[in-house]
Amino acid sequence: MLTDYTPLSDWPRPPSAIPHARLDEPPGGARVTVAGLVLVRQRPGTAKGVTFLTLEDETGVANVVIWRKVFERFRRAVVAGRLLRVTGRLQRDSEVVHVVAERIEDITDMLDELLKPGCGPKARMGWTT
């Protein structure tokens, strides 16, 4: 339920992943988990080691910011993963929403599961409606 969170608790509780279209609902600073296909990986030279990801689920896109230490810890997932689950803190700058990554999981192996008859992506990814 959307009204069941408090600023000190996770929203929603991982390992559930919030649909990208609902990222405007949790308060800034809330810990959230998003999951999706990797559309874009960017590591501009001017960004001082910061990596940016764009993930897509069936509801939209999520922008992910990965600081250098987090990138080094989860390098393999960031570089090779096609389907990622990212847990981090929600950051708002005007109407732009980012997830500042704390944990990154490569769940690419779940892509094969999604192709099985009767297996919907929402059930497999733990998404809530």
Side-chain angles (χ1 to χ4, degrees), residues 36-41 53-56 77-78 80-84:
L37 294 169
V38 177
L39 293 182
V40 178
R41 288 179 183 87
L53 289 180
T54 303
L55 301 179
E56 181 180 39
V78 174
R82 294 183 296 137
L83 181 66
L84 298 178

PDB file of all heavy atoms in Angstrom, residues 36-41 53-56 77-78 80-84:
ATOM      1  N   GLY A  36      15.218  -3.520 -14.691  1.00  0.00           N
ATOM      2  CA  GLY A  36      14.878  -3.318 -16.088  1.00  0.00           C
ATOM      3  C   GLY A  36      16.015  -3.666 -17.023  1.00  0.00           C
ATOM      4  O   GLY A  36      17.143  -3.956 -16.595  1.00  0.00           O
ATOM      5  N   LEU A  37      15.686  -3.604 -18.298  1.00  0.00           N
ATOM      6  CA  LEU A  37      16.680  -3.823 -19.349  1.00  0.00           C
ATOM      7  C   LEU A  37      17.590  -2.606 -19.442  1.00  0.00           C
ATOM      8  O   LEU A  37      17.131  -1.470 -19.334  1.00  0.00           O
ATOM      9  CB  LEU A  37      15.987  -4.037 -20.695  1.00  0.00           C
ATOM     10  CG  LEU A  37      15.154  -5.304 -20.820  1.00  0.00           C
ATOM     11  CD1 LEU A  37      14.311  -5.263 -22.085  1.00  0.00           C
ATOM     12  CD2 LEU A  37      16.055  -6.531 -20.817  1.00  0.00           C
ATOM     13  N   VAL A  38      18.866  -2.837 -19.670  1.00  0.00           N
ATOM     14  CA  VAL A  38      19.819  -1.743 -19.807  1.00  0.00           C
ATOM     15  C   VAL A  38      19.687  -1.163 -21.210  1.00  0.00           C
ATOM     16  O   VAL A  38      19.895  -1.862 -22.203  1.00  0.00           O
ATOM     17  CB  VAL A  38      21.262  -2.216 -19.564  1.00  0.00           C
ATOM     18  CG1 VAL A  38      22.242  -1.074 -19.775  1.00  0.00           C
ATOM     19  CG2 VAL A  38      21.408  -2.805 -18.170  1.00  0.00           C
ATOM     20  N   LEU A  39      19.297   0.110 -21.281  1.00  0.00           N
ATOM     21  CA  LEU A  39      19.213   0.800 -22.571  1.00  0.00           C
ATOM     22  C   LEU A  39      20.503   1.526 -22.889  1.00  0.00           C
ATOM     23  O   LEU A  39      20.973   1.503 -24.025  1.00  0.00           O
ATOM     24  CB  LEU A  39      18.070   1.823 -22.565  1.00  0.00           C
ATOM     25  CG  LEU A  39      16.650   1.308 -22.474  1.00  0.00           C
ATOM     26  CD1 LEU A  39      15.680   2.486 -22.525  1.00  0.00           C
ATOM     27  CD2 LEU A  39      16.355   0.337 -23.598  1.00  0.00           C
ATOM     28  N   VAL A  40      21.061   2.216 -21.878  1.00  0.00           N
ATOM     29  CA  VAL A  40      22.233   3.062 -22.097  1.00  0.00           C
ATOM     30  C   VAL A  40      23.171   2.937 -20.908  1.00  0.00           C
ATOM     31  O   VAL A  40      22.729   2.928 -19.764  1.00  0.00           O
ATOM     32  CB  VAL A  40      21.813   4.549 -22.247  1.00  0.00           C
ATOM     33  CG1 VAL A  40      23.019   5.445 -22.435  1.00  0.00           C
ATOM     34  CG2 VAL A  40      20.823   4.730 -23.386  1.00  0.00           C
ATOM     35  N   ARG A  41      24.477   2.851 -21.226  1.00  0.00           N
ATOM     36  CA  ARG A  41      25.538   2.956 -20.215  1.00  0.00           C
ATOM     37  C   ARG A  41      26.392   4.140 -20.633  1.00  0.00           C
ATOM     38  O   ARG A  41      26.865   4.175 -21.755  1.00  0.00           O
ATOM     39  CB  ARG A  41      26.418   1.712 -20.195  1.00  0.00           C
ATOM     40  CG  ARG A  41      25.803   0.487 -19.631  1.00  0.00           C
ATOM     41  CD  ARG A  41      26.811  -0.685 -19.709  1.00  0.00           C
ATOM     42  NE  ARG A  41      26.226  -1.905 -19.242  1.00  0.00           N
ATOM     43  CZ  ARG A  41      25.533  -2.755 -20.001  1.00  0.00           C
ATOM     44  NH1 ARG A  41      25.348  -2.508 -21.273  1.00  0.00           N
ATOM     45  NH2 ARG A  41      25.027  -3.844 -19.484  1.00  0.00           N
ATOM     46  N   LEU A  53      23.329   4.920 -15.923  1.00  0.00           N
ATOM     47  CA  LEU A  53      22.590   3.858 -16.615  1.00  0.00           C
ATOM     48  C   LEU A  53      21.170   4.340 -16.856  1.00  0.00           C
ATOM     49  O   LEU A  53      20.607   5.064 -16.038  1.00  0.00           O
ATOM     50  CB  LEU A  53      22.482   2.598 -15.764  1.00  0.00           C
ATOM     51  CG  LEU A  53      23.677   1.728 -15.493  1.00  0.00           C
ATOM     52  CD1 LEU A  53      23.262   0.545 -14.619  1.00  0.00           C
ATOM     53  CD2 LEU A  53      24.280   1.225 -16.777  1.00  0.00           C
ATOM     54  N   THR A  54      20.594   3.870 -17.942  1.00  0.00           N
ATOM     55  CA  THR A  54      19.165   4.040 -18.173  1.00  0.00           C
ATOM     56  C   THR A  54      18.578   2.647 -18.263  1.00  0.00           C
ATOM     57  O   THR A  54      19.009   1.841 -19.097  1.00  0.00           O
ATOM     58  CB  THR A  54      18.884   4.829 -19.468  1.00  0.00           C
ATOM     59  OG1 THR A  54      19.536   6.088 -19.381  1.00  0.00           O
ATOM     60  CG2 THR A  54      17.392   5.039 -19.661  1.00  0.00           C
ATOM     61  N   LEU A  55      17.633   2.343 -17.375  1.00  0.00           N
ATOM     62  CA  LEU A  55      16.952   1.052 -17.359  1.00  0.00           C
ATOM     63  C   LEU A  55      15.525   1.244 -17.845  1.00  0.00           C
ATOM     64  O   LEU A  55      14.909   2.278 -17.591  1.00  0.00           O
ATOM     65  CB  LEU A  55      16.914   0.467 -15.947  1.00  0.00           C
ATOM     66  CG  LEU A  55      18.240   0.219 -15.245  1.00  0.00           C
ATOM     67  CD1 LEU A  55      17.996  -0.350 -13.848  1.00  0.00           C
ATOM     68  CD2 LEU A  55      19.112  -0.708 -16.055  1.00  0.00           C
ATOM     69  N   GLU A  56      14.990   0.218 -18.497  1.00  0.00           N
ATOM     70  CA  GLU A  56      13.610   0.279 -18.971  1.00  0.00           C
ATOM     71  C   GLU A  56      12.832  -0.930 -18.493  1.00  0.00           C
ATOM     72  O   GLU A  56      13.314  -2.060 -18.576  1.00  0.00           O
ATOM     73  CB  GLU A  56      13.577   0.325 -20.502  1.00  0.00           C
ATOM     74  CG  GLU A  56      12.167   0.414 -21.071  1.00  0.00           C
ATOM     75  CD  GLU A  56      12.132   0.455 -22.583  1.00  0.00           C
ATOM     76  OE1 GLU A  56      12.929  -0.257 -23.225  1.00  0.00           O
ATOM     77  OE2 GLU A  56      11.296   1.185 -23.125  1.00  0.00           O
ATOM     78  N   ALA A  77      28.500  -6.722 -13.181  1.00  0.00           N
ATOM     79  CA  ALA A  77      27.075  -6.538 -13.457  1.00  0.00           C
ATOM     80  C   ALA A  77      26.843  -5.299 -14.311  1.00  0.00           C
ATOM     81  O   ALA A  77      26.090  -5.333 -15.292  1.00  0.00           O
ATOM     82  CB  ALA A  77      26.287  -6.431 -12.151  1.00  0.00           C
ATOM     83  N   VAL A  78      27.501  -4.191 -13.960  1.00  0.00           N
ATOM     84  CA  VAL A  78      27.295  -2.939 -14.689  1.00  0.00           C
ATOM     85  C   VAL A  78      27.746  -3.067 -16.139  1.00  0.00           C
ATOM     86  O   VAL A  78      27.059  -2.613 -17.059  1.00  0.00           O
ATOM     87  CB  VAL A  78      28.033  -1.769 -14.007  1.00  0.00           C
ATOM     88  CG1 VAL A  78      27.937  -0.499 -14.839  1.00  0.00           C
ATOM     89  CG2 VAL A  78      27.476  -1.527 -12.613  1.00  0.00           C
ATOM     90  N   ALA A  80      28.435  -5.974 -17.989  1.00  0.00           N
ATOM     91  CA  ALA A  80      27.951  -7.094 -18.797  1.00  0.00           C
ATOM     92  C   ALA A  80      26.452  -7.359 -18.700  1.00  0.00           C
ATOM     93  O   ALA A  80      25.889  -8.017 -19.572  1.00  0.00           O
ATOM     94  CB  ALA A  80      28.705  -8.367 -18.407  1.00  0.00           C
ATOM     95  N   GLY A  81      25.798  -6.873 -17.662  1.00  0.00           N
ATOM     96  CA  GLY A  81      24.388  -7.201 -17.449  1.00  0.00           C
ATOM     97  C   GLY A  81      23.473  -6.582 -18.492  1.00  0.00           C
ATOM     98  O   GLY A  81      23.633  -5.420 -18.863  1.00  0.00           O
ATOM     99  N   ARG A  82      22.507  -7.354 -18.942  1.00  0.00           N
ATOM    100  CA  ARG A  82      21.480  -6.847 -19.863  1.00  0.00           C
ATOM    101  C   ARG A  82      20.188  -6.538 -19.117  1.00  0.00           C
ATOM    102  O   ARG A  82      19.402  -5.717 -19.548  1.00  0.00           O
ATOM    103  CB  ARG A  82      21.205  -7.874 -20.971  1.00  0.00           C
ATOM    104  CG  ARG A  82      22.403  -8.077 -21.888  1.00  0.00           C
ATOM    105  CD  ARG A  82      22.093  -9.039 -23.029  1.00  0.00           C
ATOM    106  NE  ARG A  82      21.796 -10.372 -22.514  1.00  0.00           N
ATOM    107  CZ  ARG A  82      20.807 -11.154 -22.954  1.00  0.00           C
ATOM    108  NH1 ARG A  82      20.024 -10.755 -23.918  1.00  0.00           N
ATOM    109  NH2 ARG A  82      20.605 -12.336 -22.421  1.00  0.00           N
ATOM    110  N   LEU A  83      19.976  -7.226 -17.995  1.00  0.00           N
ATOM    111  CA  LEU A  83      18.814  -7.016 -17.138  1.00  0.00           C
ATOM    112  C   LEU A  83      19.353  -6.850 -15.719  1.00  0.00           C
ATOM    113  O   LEU A  83      20.008  -7.749 -15.197  1.00  0.00           O
ATOM    114  CB  LEU A  83      17.871  -8.217 -17.230  1.00  0.00           C
ATOM    115  CG  LEU A  83      16.576  -8.166 -16.416  1.00  0.00           C
ATOM    116  CD1 LEU A  83      15.666  -7.064 -16.934  1.00  0.00           C
ATOM    117  CD2 LEU A  83      15.845  -9.512 -16.498  1.00  0.00           C
ATOM    118  N   LEU A  84      19.114  -5.689 -15.123  1.00  0.00           N
ATOM    119  CA  LEU A  84      19.680  -5.389 -13.809  1.00  0.00           C
ATOM    120  C   LEU A  84      18.593  -5.046 -12.799  1.00  0.00           C
ATOM    121  O   LEU A  84      17.547  -4.514 -13.161  1.00  0.00           O
ATOM    122  CB  LEU A  84      20.645  -4.201 -13.896  1.00  0.00           C
ATOM    123  CG  LEU A  84      21.873  -4.356 -14.772  1.00  0.00           C
ATOM    124  CD1 LEU A  84      22.674  -3.059 -14.780  1.00  0.00           C
ATOM    125  CD2 LEU A  84      22.736  -5.517 -14.315  1.00  0.00           C
TER     126      LEU A  84
END
